[in-house]
Amino acid sequence: KDEKLSYRLVTSEESDPENNLISTVSPIGQALIGKEEGDTVKVKTPTGWRNFEISRLRTIHEQES
């Protein structure tokens, strides 16, 4: 389905999936590391395979204050 999601990649200690804080060691986190805008990733999640297209990336340095 076409749905826009925002995730923030964080350490496992900061992980809070209900608030879109995804651990870098989670399946989605691992799939997103090293990717660029426009890339598509396929991730096996507990509910099945999901495809994600990366439409925007921001680094920690580009975060809004």
Side-chain angles (χ1 to χ4, degrees):
K1 59 185 174 182
D2 284 330
E3 177 181 9
K4 289 200 176 204
L5 303 169
S6 284
Y7 292 119
R8 176 183 268 179
L9 294 179
V10 297
T11 65
S12 56
E13 293 84 12
E14 298 172 295
S15 178
D16 184 1
E18 290 183 12
N19 289 307
N20 296 334
L21 299 175
I22 304 297
S23 170
T24 56
V25 297
S26 71
I28 294 173
Q30 286 289 297
L32 293 174
I33 291 176
K35 301 298 189 246
E36 298 180 2
E37 289 181 7
D39 288 349
T40 301
V41 295
K42 185 174 184 177
V43 181
K44 185 174 183 179
T45 68
T47 58
W49 287 96
R50 295 189 64 186
N51 292 307
F52 295 90
E53 179 183 346
I54 301 170
S55 61
R56 183 173 178 208
L57 289 174
R58 291 188 309 170
T59 68
I60 193 169
H61 305 290
E62 298 169 321
Q63 289 182 23
E64 296 175 18
S65 300

